[in-house]
Amino acid sequence: MGVMFRKRQKFGPLILNFTEHGFSSWSIRIGRWSWNSRSRAHRVDLPGPLSWKQNKSRRRDRVEHR
């Protein structure tokens, strides 16, 4: 596996994520709660090394027309 370029820019609670190809996603963090636009996951930091994550499946978000 090679070396990957990743950069984050923070503007208050808004975080912009960049890769070598440019903009990749954005996140918002308020206190212990955060949400990411790419994974559509809610995350809550718990005491110690623990965290709770709820994934949002992209398949459910799509509407299929046949």
Side-chain angles (χ1 to χ4, degrees):
M1 181 183 250
V3 177
M4 294 175 45
F5 171 80
R6 295 177 75 184
K7 182 167 177 131
R8 300 175 90 191
Q9 287 287 328
K10 292 185 179 182
F11 300 99
L14 182 66
I15 302 166
L16 302 177
N17 302 301
F18 297 91
T19 64
E20 65 272 1
H21 301 293
F23 178 76
S24 67
S25 68
W26 61 274
S27 302
I28 189 162
R29 183 174 180 95
I30 301 172
R32 293 179 174 231
W33 175 84
S34 65
W35 183 81
N36 183 281
S37 66
R38 171 169 251 158
S39 63
R40 297 184 181 193
H42 296 270
R43 186 180 303 260
V44 177
D45 291 334
L46 300 174
L50 304 173
S51 67
W52 173 82
K53 180 179 169 187
Q54 178 185 15
N55 287 329
K56 297 288 184 176
S57 174
R58 288 183 179 238
R59 288 184 183 180
R60 280 193 223 161
D61 295 342
R62 293 183 188 161
V63 177
E64 293 184 19
H65 297 283
R66 293 182 186 203

